[in-house]
Amino acid sequence: MVRVPGGFANRMYRLDTARGSFAVKELNLLDRRRPYRAEDVFRFERAAFAAGIPMPEPISVDRGTVVHRWVEGARVPEAAVPAAYAYEIGEILARLHALDVVWGGGPDEEPVARDWAELAERARATGQPWAGELTSQVGTFLAIADFVAACERPGPVVLTHRDVQPWNLLARDGRPVLLDWELSGLLDLSGELGSTALSLAKGPGFDDIEPVVFRSLLNGYVAGGGVLPPPGPSWFAYMIGGWLGHTRWNLLRCLAGTEAGSGPELALSHEAVRNGVRGLPDMVGRLPQLEALLR
């Protein structure tokens, strides 16, 4: 097997055999933000693949490893995608949400942490390169936590991918292929649509959002048989909460100061913390602008 670089949570390898090529993913079970439901996700993937969702064929799963058939395609850059590509993603989500797959329990969202002052102090004590920036934003991060915890989700709740981002997509002949289903589960529809549409309509920051691309995904969702939830801040609460938790998880890995045996390399965790400390306050400050995309 050959290691494939990158990976924000797990480690990926390519395995070439006489029966074809496979993507072998080693799941990080040591310090996950929430438990994996690998077998439930695999069953959901099999149903999506059987329904014609463009994705790698799921091959096998056990507690620590999941295998898919390898799919060739172009990586999707972190930039606004073509409107036609976003439209097709919207159609795919509508088809995905219409699948009849049994899923036990309710939405699986992690508790909102409020220990940012303590983490900033530990960052200063251990000489983290981003400690000063985090310290200056403690009050903002507490306000963000309050927003995520209090934001009302209007529903409906759907079984979905939960992480349709540029780094989880390929383009094959200009059309989408949906990768990395490990976070699949139940989610408020507005959170799924807002996170996906915004991620595909912008670059790394928030200065170059393309409203046409954002609306194109929503138009594709309606064309695929979906019904849009009412506008409001809930469209962006899931993305903000997920980014907040991702930043904290990587921050804890940085505070440990050692290269973990699974998950992202330490350098990638430092990059994730810097991006969160700088990007989250910017995103929350632009909520009125983001909500205007829904009108």
Side-chain angles (χ1 to χ4, degrees):
M1 293 195 297
V2 177
R3 175 80 184 273
V4 179
F8 289 102
N10 306 296
R11 297 191 178 185
M12 174 78 78
Y13 303 83
R14 175 171 174 156
L15 175 63
D16 294 314
T17 77
R19 292 189 293 167
S21 297
F22 300 89
V24 180
K25 183 171 290 187
E26 177 189 42
L27 301 178
N28 173 24
L29 303 176
L30 298 178
D31 60 345
R32 294 299 305 149
R33 289 160 55 192
R34 62 189 183 97
Y36 273 122
R37 300 180 60 168
E39 292 184 359
D40 291 334
V41 170
F42 188 76
R43 181 164 44 85
F44 180 42
E45 285 190 82
R46 294 293 292 177
F49 184 79
I53 299 296
M55 59 184 289
E57 180 185 2
I59 301 297
S60 69
V61 65
D62 63 22
R63 183 173 179 274
T65 307
V66 61
V67 180
H68 295 80
R69 194 167 297 280
W70 188 269
V71 174
E72 295 291 350
R75 302 298 299 186
V76 174
E78 194 173 356
V81 302
Y85 187 97
Y87 186 94
E88 190 165 355
I89 290 289
E91 289 183 315
I92 290 169
L93 287 178
R95 291 165 56 199
L96 193 62
H97 296 166
L99 293 178
D100 185 15
V101 178
V102 176
W103 188 275
D108 189 11
E109 292 192 44
E110 61 185 311
V112 181
R114 297 186 52 82
D115 57 350
W116 293 100
E118 175 191 337
L119 294 176
E121 179 59 37
R122 291 174 59 189
R124 287 197 304 271
T126 54
Q128 303 298 329
W130 32 260
E133 290 180 274
L134 176 61
T135 300
S136 69
Q137 295 287 3
V138 165
T140 302
F141 271 68
L142 290 173
I144 292 172
D146 288 340
F147 164 74
V148 173
C151 186
E152 182 179 352
R153 275 71 161 174
V157 172
V158 293
L159 178 58
T160 189
H161 184 283
R162 291 171 53 109
D163 197 24
V164 183
Q165 307 286 333
W167 48 85
N168 290 335
L169 289 164
L170 294 177
R172 187 170 55 186
D173 298 326
R175 305 188 67 184
V177 178
L178 187 51
L179 310 174
D180 295 342
W181 292 64
E182 286 77 33
L183 295 184
S184 296
L186 297 174
L187 180 63
D188 181 84
L189 175 59
S190 63
E192 173 80 332
L193 292 179
S195 171
T196 305
L198 181 59
S199 296
L200 299 185
K202 69 178 189 65
F206 297 94
D207 293 327
D208 58 351
I209 300 172
E210 296 287 348
V212 171
V213 176
F214 189 100
R215 293 302 311 183
S216 184
L217 184 138
L218 303 188
N219 291 339
Y221 189 77
V222 172
V227 177
L228 299 181
S234 66
W235 282 67
F236 307 103
Y238 169 68
M239 185 175 184
I240 292 170
W243 196 3
L244 188 70
H246 182 69
T247 301
R248 183 178 180 276
W249 179 69
N250 280 283
L251 193 157
L252 291 173
R253 291 173 72 91
C254 293
L255 291 178
T258 57
E259 196 73 55
S262 62
E265 290 82 1
L266 193 57
L268 191 57
S269 287
H270 277 289
E271 180 184 347
V273 174
R274 282 191 296 268
N275 289 341
V277 169
R278 297 169 185 175
L280 272 164
D282 186 23
M283 182 178 181
V284 172
R286 296 176 187 244
L287 270 176
Q289 172 191 349
L290 299 179
E291 290 188 55
L293 296 168
L294 306 174
R295 294 193 292 272

